[in-house]
Each structure stands twice: as C-alpha cells, then as structure tokens.
Amino acid sequence: MAGGGRQYPLKTTTRSPIFIFTLAFLALFLLYFIFSSHSSQPPVPLTIHPSQNPTTFNLPKADYSFVVSLEKFLTTKSPPPPEPDDTDLQDVSNLDDSVWIAETRRLYDHPSPPPPLRVYVYQMPSRFTYDLLWLFRNTYRDTSNLTSNGSPVHRLIEQHSIDYWLWADLIAPESERLLRNVVVRVHRQEEADLFYIPFFTTISFFLLEKQHCKALYREALKWVTDQPAWKRSEGRDHILPVHHPWSFKSVRRYMKNAIWLLPDMDSTGNWYKPGQVYLEKDLILPYVPNVDFCDSKCFFETQSKRTTLLFFRGRLKRNAGGKIRAKLVTELSRAEGVVIEEGTAGEGGKAAAQSGMRKSVYCLSPAGDTPSSARLFDAIVSGCIPVIVSDELELPFEGILDYRKIALLVSSADALQPGWLISFLRSISPSQVREFQSNLAKHSRHFLYSHPAQPLGAEDLAWRMIAGKLVNIKLHIRRSQRVVKDSRSLCTCECRRPNITMPSSLA
C-alpha cells in the first residue's frame, strides 16, 4: 500500500435488530395513545366522583377494623335500658293472640303490598283455552254426565275452576282490574317475573274422550316445553293450574319444576308421586264453594236459627283417607244434636246442604278421596264453624291466615274415640263460639272467586302467596344456570335424580 502505513476502513456504528424493533414498538404505541386519547367516547369501567382523586378510589370514611370499631362502640355506647316487662306476653298463648291481632291489623287496616308481580300470559292455541270453555258452556245442562262415584261432572269442574278465575282476571283490561297493585300482566317475556299457562286441564279431563284428552295433554306439554322461557328456567317460573288431582296426570311429571296450583298435597302418594309436589314450590288454593255466600244480613238472620250442634251432608263412603267418613258416621250417628245425611246431586242437594249448614253451629269436614274436601269451604262461607278431621290436609293461604281462629282441627284418633268429639264441642263456651263466628264473618271473603277479582279475595291471596316464593324461584333458576353447560354433573337442590327426559313418543 502507498504511504508507509496501513490504512483501515472508517468505523460505522451498527444497530442491532432488537434495538430497532424496540424503537418501532415505542413509536407505534405513541401513535396509538395520541389517536385513542381523541376518540369520542372511551369506555369508562368505573365512575369516580369529581371530588375524588381521578387515579384512585377512596373508601368512604368509616372504621374498617373490628378492633377499632369495637373500641369506639364500647366507649361511646351505653347499654340500652331493659325493655318493659310486658307480663301479658309472657304466656305463649297471649303472645300468639297478640301476633294474630297485629297480623290482622296489617292485613285490613294498613295494607302495604310489595311491588306487583309481573306475569306473562301465554297465548296458547284456542284448542287449549276458548274451545274448552265453549265445550263446558254448551254441555253445562247435561246433568246426566256423572263420575264413577255419582258426582255431577260439570259441578266438579266448577269446584276446580280456579284456572278460569285467575286467567280471566289476568287478561282483563287493566282499567277494569282491581288487583293492579298486586299483579299485572306484561306483554314482553323479558319483563316477566312469572309465566302463566292457560290450559284448562280439568275441563279436558272430564269432557273429552279419554284418548282425545291424552293426545291434547301431549300437545300442550310439547307446546309449553318448546317455549324459550320454559327452556331458560326449566319451568321453575311457570304456573300450571292442575287443581283436580286427576287433571294432566298422564304427562305432568315432565313439568314437575313448575308451580302447581293444587287442592291439597296428598303426601300419602295416592295422587302425586314423591318429589312432584311440596309447599315450598307449589300453592294450595280453595275449592269454589258449592253453596251461596252467607253475607252479613244472612249471618245476622241465621244466628238464632243455629240449633244443630254438628252437621254433615255428603258422600258417606269414600276411598283412601276418606274411609274415615264411615267410621265417623258409626261414632256420631246416634249422638244428640248431630245431623248426618247422605249427599245428593243437583239443585236439591245443594239447597239441603246450604240449609243444614246455616242451621248449625259446627260443620264436620272429614277427608274425601283426597285429604281436602269442598265441604270445608262450604262451611266457611255459610258461617258454620268447620270441624276438620283430616290428618294429611294442607290448607290454602296458611302463610296469611291462622285457621285456629276460624276452624277446629281435630286428629282422627281423637275424633274416633267414643264420645270424645261431642263432649269437646259442648265444652266450648258461648263466648268462644261467638268469637269463631265473628272471625268467619270477617274472613269468609278470602275464599270467594269473582270477576273482577276482589281485593282480599281468593285471587288476591293466591298472588300474595306466590309473591312470597319469587326470591326462592329466582335462586333456583340461577343455581341451575351458573355452571358451564356439560362441564360437570349437577346435584339438584333437592339432591334427587335429574329431571326425567321426555320420551321421543311425547315430543
């Protein structure tokens, strides 16, 4: 090389790929921050009051330490003076009476109902609703249509017509309804607390040919269980009127999660299978009375005419728990002041029962084929003190009403002891009898269905009872939804087998 020394190329500074990538990433991040800061409505995950630090959330001023709070509490609070010694309430019976008085005042004097229930009424095809009502109406005069035990079919349908009364009120124009503060109909499913199924299961059972009825039951089952609302809750928030124990019997096991409207529970298993019905889920509703309502004028006029001690008119031979009727007849038939008669159908039978009840102080109400009997509600609306002999009986509206104030509930074992029941009834003082009768006069309206439905009538109390179940219904719906589908097997809240899968023949 020229020049006497060795020449080297100029040294250039090289950048590593990592360094270049880092610079590019920072530049992109800076551009993103600039543009995103100018977006019109950035998402705000937490709203902070302007008085608070915009970058932190300050807890409200309070004591969050148990020790600190306890120290302040003990040093600044002194024990309250002892409550006055209310000697009148030291006895359980006196306390019980005071509770009854307070509850009655809240019910009548200062009613404060919760927000109204919101009910969605399904618009089912007319073959499940209007067609069945027309069928009943057009065959009503056919009194020759009797059940196997001789009861007029149409009269049985009337006794169990709670499905009509509730539905007719729900679908009436809101301007005509008197229960708007208790229950309202909504027309959007997402707004509903509950869903009402307007299928007349009792009419279809008694007036349709057997195979036609079963086919209609299967159609109704499929129609309802295909609804998205049913699938969402598995029927837990659906109301199913099955007030006659035979109605919907062939398929109702597939709807056991629904709220069933029943005449009783029958825990003996003769009518309902174990796990199908229970008080926490279902609702007991009264029969529609067979006799006319004894109003205040009637009540006053009949007081002096009640000369019979104990009265019963009805079928003397019944199945299942109703077998006690024959035993009671044997025990009571010869007792003084007791009238026991075999019931008869038609207007004549109704008039005889009504007359007998209005002439009696006490009316015997034993079990029928099921633990309940229409006789109980006939007695109540007649002003006749019911003597209930039915060990398995569940009563309507018992979360609201105290039946000890309007009826006598006697165990079967006591009632069948020779001479015991008559001696017990005669031992009740005239003042106690008057108190029972006064309570009956006041509370009998709770057992009347009407249109329009009346405040404190049977429909009103039914919705109040259902409202008390609503939180528990929502709890079980959410429990059933909370686990990712098919991720594991669920144990139901009753720790029973999962719901029965509907066979393909019914789909």
Side-chain angles (χ1 to χ4, degrees), residues 125-154:
S126 62
R127 64 183 181 276
F128 303 118
T129 55
Y130 287 96
D131 291 356
L132 293 171
L133 292 176
W134 276 109
L135 176 63
F136 175 84
R137 184 255 191 192
N138 292 335
T139 59
Y140 180 71
R141 300 300 177 187
D142 184 10
T143 55
S144 63
N145 192 353
L146 305 176
T147 65
S148 58
N149 62 18
S151 300
V153 163
H154 288 77

Side-chain angles (χ1 to χ4, degrees), residues 12 35 44 86 101 112 175 197 203 230 239 253 319 377 383 429 459:
T12 59
F35 284 107
V44 182
D86 195 343
I101 292 170
S112 53
S175 60
I197 303 170
I203 295 179
W230 176 277
I239 299 170
R253 64 187 180 275
N319 299 314
F377 309 104
S429 68
E459 299 94 333

Side-chain angles (χ1 to χ4, degrees), residues 464-477:
R464 292 181 188 225
M465 290 289 294
I466 292 175
K469 301 176 184 290
L470 189 58
V471 170
N472 203 45
I473 291 168
K474 291 183 181 293
L475 180 149
H476 288 303
I477 291 173

Side-chain angles (χ1 to χ4, degrees), residues 112-119 179-184 193-194 460 463-464 466-468 470-471:
S112 53
L117 280 174
R118 297 163 298 183
V119 178
L179 302 185
R180 294 188 298 272
N181 64 328
V182 177
V183 58
V184 294
D193 297 315
L194 299 164
D460 186 353
W463 290 117
R464 292 181 188 225
I466 292 175
L470 189 58
V471 170

Side-chain angles (χ1 to χ4, degrees), residues 64-82:
Y64 295 92
S65 164
F66 169 69
V67 174
V68 173
S69 177
L70 180 63
E71 178 67 23
K72 289 184 179 179
F73 177 85
L74 293 177
T75 55
T76 59
K77 306 282 187 183
S78 57

